[in-house]
Amino acid sequence: MEESFMVSVFDVHKDNLQFVWPSIVCSIQNASFIAVDCELSGLGSRKLINSQAVDDRYKNISEVAKTRSIISLGLSCFKLSECEKTLNFNVQTFNFMALCAEDFLVEPSALQFLVTHGFDFHKQYSQGVSYNRGNDISIKGKSKKSTWDLRDLFTVMVSAKVPLVLHNGLVDLVFLYQNLYADLPTKLSSFLADLEMMFPSGIYDTKFVAEFSLRTSASFLEYIFRSHQVKNINLKNSCRPHVTCNHTLIESDFVDFWDCSPRLQNEENMEICPNYINHGFCNSASNCKKSHDVYRAVLLEEQKKSKKRKRKDESQVVSCEASPVMSVIESPRQERFRGHRAGHDAFMTGFCFASFIAQRSSFLPENVHTVCWKNLLDRIVDVRNRVCLSGKDFPLVIQKSAFSKCSKSHLEKYERLFPGL
């Protein structure tokens, strides 16, 4: 079993947040980058949030963010500890139960999806960390704050000034801003200007990377995660730069272990379900008679590519017959892979980003053995501050234009956070 993929996840709720808060802050501030994922109470009309006009799309998503809520927040902090032939990351992953203190809409389809994937709503309502949406609530007096909440968490993320990584990140960015930072600007241009100022080290979207840089056949999170696992194995086998992860959380009653090691399911005689493999969901769900094994689909795609390339040395190519990690492995800790928990998704997003950097660094000259984190980021400037727009052949560029201004709410809050800057 790959130790990189026995992921330790700290379950954070209102009863232990104050206890673990110093560790969370330390993890964020020392990270090379942070990966974030949100579980939401609903997304509204898919037609509206995917409007053709990008300005209308932003407006519609903003309205959704003002009426729905974040119900779970995943955070995975990656710190590069070694950078030679191996990009070795120390990783700490947290899963926050969130509970909006204001009224919010909940959509039945969102509830069904989350329940199907093991979300505990009883735990959310009994132990969720409370928060208020929109602008900060003014507090009389100047007494020092004694407790911390999710708005403080987002403030730490902004103040750390480290790269922020998401998957299909536009909706998450809008929700994070409205729910944990300030009231959203009315104009998309101001929102983009605010984001560029809030995250000066860049925002990265792994869905954009998959679709526009790597050109994968599918771009939903589990597919690109499994694809990066295969590519990482190939890089390791060929002694090229690859990623390893050391999960450094100290074991406690609040830490769960999630085994996402690459393994095949017992479905070798079943046809691959095209709907699930191409889009990440199947309308037939549990009634579908075809295989939903994403890893098998990735391997088959990799085999097709290897045949086209006509590689001379096929021993380094991952295949069902050659590689031991392909076999079905039973583990006492292993539960069936479920890729829609916020903490799990945050780790998968972070690993995809780290693996992409490793692939880019594999083209460094052979006499270069050690490079710094900044050098690695310099090799991926083409994907920096570009967020995927579903249904579009161009990304949303997070950049302040010559004709836009930062929003008043953002500037006022930023001045409170960083006076004098």
Side-chain angles (χ1 to χ4, degrees):
M1 182 184 302
E2 288 269 352
E3 288 299 322
S4 290
F5 302 117
M6 178 57 78
V7 184
S8 54
V9 183
F10 197 108
D11 184 28
V12 184
H13 46 74
K14 71 176 184 179
D15 296 331
N16 64 14
L17 176 59
Q18 311 311 316
F19 164 74
V20 75
W21 180 258
S23 297
I24 296 171
V25 172
C26 182
S27 185
I28 295 173
Q29 291 178 340
N30 290 306
S32 300
F33 70 88
I34 57 176
V36 173
D37 179 79
C38 299
E39 298 288 3
L40 310 172
S41 68
L43 288 172
S45 167
R46 298 302 189 273
K47 182 178 179 180
L48 291 177
I49 66 172
N50 290 316
S51 299
Q52 285 297 313
V54 179
D55 286 317
D56 289 342
R57 187 177 296 198
Y58 169 71
K59 179 181 177 181
N60 293 330
I61 297 174
S62 297
E63 290 302 314
V64 172
K66 293 174 183 177
T67 55
R68 278 75 169 174
S69 74
I70 297 172
I71 62 176
S72 181
L73 176 66
L75 169 68
S76 197
C77 304
F78 284 68
K79 178 178 174 56
L80 185 65
S81 61
E82 180 184 344
C83 183
E84 293 185 6
K85 283 296 183 182
T86 301
L87 274 63
N88 189 15
F89 288 92
N90 291 330
V91 182
Q92 294 192 339
T93 302
F94 304 89
N95 193 86
F96 298 83
M97 277 291 183
L99 183 63
C100 183
E102 305 164 13
D103 292 343
F104 61 90
L105 296 178
V106 179
E107 298 174 15
S109 58
L111 296 183
Q112 291 170 352
F113 174 85
L114 292 168
V115 168
T116 300
H117 292 88
F119 189 85
D120 188 344
F121 282 98
H122 178 269
K123 189 172 186 178
Q124 185 215 356
Y125 281 92
S126 62
Q127 295 182 293
V129 181
S130 179
Y131 72 89
N132 291 88
R133 291 180 295 214
N135 292 330
D136 292 335
I137 299 175
S138 58
I139 301 176
K140 295 181 180 180
K142 298 183 179 179
S143 59
K144 186 177 180 180
K145 189 167 184 176
S146 58
T147 59
W148 310 102
D149 55 33
L150 292 183
R151 294 180 69 91
D152 297 311
L153 174 71
F154 192 70
T155 295
V156 174
M157 291 164 56
V158 172
S159 63
K161 300 186 185 303
V162 297
L164 174 66
V165 183
L166 309 103
H167 181 79
N168 201 14
L170 178 57
V171 171
D172 281 359
L173 286 170
V174 173
F175 264 81
L176 287 168
Y177 192 112
Q178 176 64 32
N179 282 260
L180 305 180
Y181 189 70
D183 283 326
L184 284 160
T186 56
K187 294 183 178 180
L188 173 61
S189 58
S190 294
F191 176 65
L192 298 177
D194 291 355
L195 288 177
E196 185 182 35
M197 187 175 177
M198 292 161 63
F199 297 99
S201 295
I203 296 173
Y204 299 86
D205 187 337
T206 53
K207 186 176 178 69
F208 169 77
V209 171
E211 292 189 356
F212 289 83
S213 183
L214 298 176
R215 306 288 180 178
T216 56
S217 58
S219 60
F220 63 94
L221 181 55
E222 185 182 352
Y223 186 93
I224 66 167
F225 174 66
R226 294 306 188 190
S227 179
H228 278 289
Q229 283 184 315
V230 171
K231 291 176 182 177
N232 202 55
I233 292 169
N234 288 335
L235 290 172
K236 180 179 180 181
N237 290 344
S238 57
C239 298
R240 296 166 69 185
H242 60 281
V243 173
T244 61
C245 297
N246 300 317
H247 300 277
T248 58
L249 284 176
I250 299 174
E251 290 194 37
S252 78
D253 293 339
F254 303 119
V255 174
D256 293 324
F257 292 92
W258 173 54
D259 182 5
C260 57
S261 303
R263 55 170 51 81
L264 291 173
Q265 299 173 17
N266 288 310
E267 299 176 351
E268 62 273 10
N269 297 322
M270 297 172 64
E271 181 184 351
I272 296 290
C273 174
N275 287 334
Y276 190 84
I277 298 306
N278 290 329
H279 307 292
F281 66 90
C282 173
N283 292 330
S284 300
S286 58
N287 295 322
C288 183
K289 302 301 182 183
K290 298 181 180 181
S291 174
H292 291 182
D293 188 347
V294 176
Y295 192 45
R296 183 181 301 281
V298 169
L299 294 177
L300 292 174
E301 182 68 22
E302 190 70 15
Q303 289 175 340
K304 290 179 183 178
K305 290 180 180 179
S306 69
K307 289 180 181 179
K308 290 180 180 180
R309 290 191 294 261
K310 296 182 179 180
R311 288 183 174 178
K312 294 181 180 180
D313 184 8
E314 294 181 353
S315 63
Q316 292 181 353
V317 178
V318 177
S319 65
C320 289
E321 295 79 17
S323 177
V325 299
M326 303 301 155
S327 59
V328 179
I329 305 170
E330 297 296 332
S331 168
R333 286 177 173 172
Q334 169 68 16
E335 61 181 12
R336 183 165 183 169
F337 179 84
R338 291 185 286 186
H340 295 282
R341 300 288 292 275
H344 299 173
D345 283 7
F347 169 74
M348 289 196 293
T349 300
F351 178 81
C352 291
F353 182 66
S355 176
F356 174 65
I357 292 177
Q359 292 170 50
R360 284 289 181 90
S361 67
S362 67
F363 296 104
L364 289 170
E366 291 186 2
N367 60 339
V368 177
H369 297 290
T370 303
V371 292
C372 68
W373 178 240
K374 182 180 181 303
N375 296 142
L376 295 175
L377 291 180
D378 287 343
R379 301 190 67 82
I380 59 168
V381 292
D382 57 312
V383 300
R384 173 182 166 138
N385 284 352
R386 285 164 173 77
V387 175
C388 190
L389 290 171
S390 298
K392 299 290 187 182
D393 59 0
F394 58 86
L396 179 65
V397 180
I398 300 174
Q399 185 177 26
K400 182 181 179 182
S401 72
F403 307 100
S404 63
K405 296 180 179 180
C406 291
S407 68
K408 180 180 177 182
S409 294
H410 161 68
L411 291 175
E412 289 177 350
K413 176 155 187 172
Y414 207 79
E415 175 61 28
R416 291 195 301 272
L417 295 179
F418 313 107
L421 290 182

